[in-house]
Amino acid sequence: MKDYYAYHLDLHQKQVKDAKIAFLPGDPGRVTRIAGKISRDYQELAFHREYRTAYLEVGQIPLLITSTGIGGPSTAIAIEELAQLGIKIFIRLGTTGTIQPFVNLGDMIISTGAVRMEGASSHYAPIEYPAVADWQLVNILAETARTSGIPVHCGITASSDTFYPGQERYDTFTHYVIKRFQGSLEEWKNLNVLNYEMEAATLYTMASVFGLKAVAVSGVIAHRLDQEMCAVKEIPAIETKLALLIQHSIPAIRNLL
Ligand code: URA
């Protein structure tokens, strides 16, 4: 086995064993919380900067849960290094703010594609290149959510480099949003975009460029038609749903390898 060492993830090739599937929350705290809901036998392999990795097996299928930090640049580093460690399937586990009235707090959104409002993806492909999910992963996760009784919506996401102005939030230091983003929430809503988050476009562009597979599923913690704030109290239930989705979808996902 070649001994590749991933510098930012602080992971040696040998440590990840034969894992080909990685789940990617942004928050390092979510790595062990979700791993612990799935298996008592998970191993924490590394924790360097925003990158924390746990190894676990679900029905003898090896997998990693690795945090990416927030946004495109740190996510791009995680994907680069995980791909070099042999990961073929990337599943982002996130949180999000919806901009559609028919989506509720606590619902799940599976991003079929992402508006490339971030910058990192343009270092991998020109802006005309689409940021799209792997359709088989979308199908597997949507069906798993449906059969598990988890409310789910599939559609387009807007991935922003900023949480505040790029998502047209005014509850900020200056209370000012530059002209480019004034009215943008209403416009994305009219264009049937479901939600804002910060990583899917980078993940999808890189996975397609690399010839690998990716999907992003996010739990809704902000209803942007009502308020700008996030409903933090939704997070524990969302993490439970994300852990359930992993457990129930792994056999079908493994068949894609
Ligand atoms: N993550 C985001 O990027 N935006 C939100 O509103 C909530 C979570």
Side-chain angles (χ1 to χ4, degrees):
M1 189 184 279
K2 76 176 177 181
D3 189 25
Y4 170 70
Y5 171 67
Y7 161 65
H8 295 90
L9 302 184
D10 189 24
L11 282 177
H12 286 276
Q13 184 72 53
K14 283 192 216 83
Q15 290 176 282
V16 309
K17 300 182 188 158
D18 231 5
K20 300 272 180 280
I21 302 167
F23 291 87
L24 309 172
D27 176 2
R30 201 165 285 155
V31 170
T32 44
R33 287 201 297 275
I34 291 182
K37 286 179 195 288
I38 297 171
S39 163
R40 266 183 297 166
D41 296 329
Y42 77 84
Q43 281 172 266
E44 184 171 336
L45 299 182
F47 193 169
H48 179 226
R49 299 179 181 228
E50 61 266 65
Y51 305 110
R52 186 181 203 177
T53 296
Y55 172 92
L56 63 157
E57 295 181 8
V58 175
Q60 296 184 327
I61 302 166
L63 57 94
L64 302 182
I65 306 181
T66 297
S67 55
T68 61
I70 296 177
S74 64
T75 299
I77 290 173
I79 296 163
E80 277 282 356
E81 295 188 1
L82 287 168
Q84 296 220 59
L85 289 165
I87 297 299
K88 307 282 183 220
I89 293 180
F90 298 83
I91 299 162
R92 175 168 158 74
L93 307 173
T95 53
T96 189
T98 186
I99 57 174
Q100 292 295 343
F102 54 84
V103 179
N104 296 309
L105 283 178
D107 288 0
M108 291 289 155
I109 293 180
I110 298 173
S111 307
T112 53
V115 183
R116 293 174 56 191
M117 282 168 63
E118 38 64 85
S121 69
S122 66
H123 290 213
Y124 286 88
I127 198 68
E128 296 83 358
Y129 191 91
V132 286
D134 178 84
W135 66 273
Q136 289 174 303
L137 286 172
V138 171
N139 278 346
I140 289 168
L141 286 185
E143 185 59 14
T144 305
R146 200 185 58 75
T147 53
S148 309
I150 298 172
V152 68
H153 311 265
C154 296
I156 297 171
T157 289
S159 296
S160 168
D161 259 348
T162 51
F163 182 83
Y164 291 101
Q167 302 184 19
E168 209 186 344
R169 281 188 161 91
Y170 294 90
D171 59 351
T172 58
F173 186 67
T174 59
H175 305 292
Y176 183 72
V177 169
I178 61 169
K179 289 208 171 56
R180 172 179 165 210
F181 293 121
Q182 289 177 23
S184 58
L185 188 152
E186 179 71 13
E187 178 143 289
W188 293 127
K189 172 176 170 282
N190 292 340
L191 297 176
N192 292 319
V193 168
L194 297 183
N195 62 313
Y196 282 123
E197 54 79 86
M198 299 177 68
E199 296 83 11
T202 306
L203 171 64
Y204 287 2
T205 305
M206 290 181 70
S208 294
V209 166
F210 290 0
L212 304 175
K213 295 178 187 295
V215 70
V217 54
S218 310
V220 177
I221 60 165
H223 210 304
R224 295 297 313 283
L225 303 181
D226 298 335
Q227 57 177 0
E228 295 191 0
M229 294 279 286
C230 292
V232 179
K233 65 176 180 21
E234 297 289 334
I235 291 177
I238 285 171
E239 289 178 352
T240 300
K241 289 175 201 167
L242 291 171
L244 249 177
L245 274 180
I246 295 179
Q247 278 175 302
H248 293 174
S249 62
I250 274 290
I253 292 170
R254 199 261 303 265
N255 288 339
L256 300 181
L257 287 169

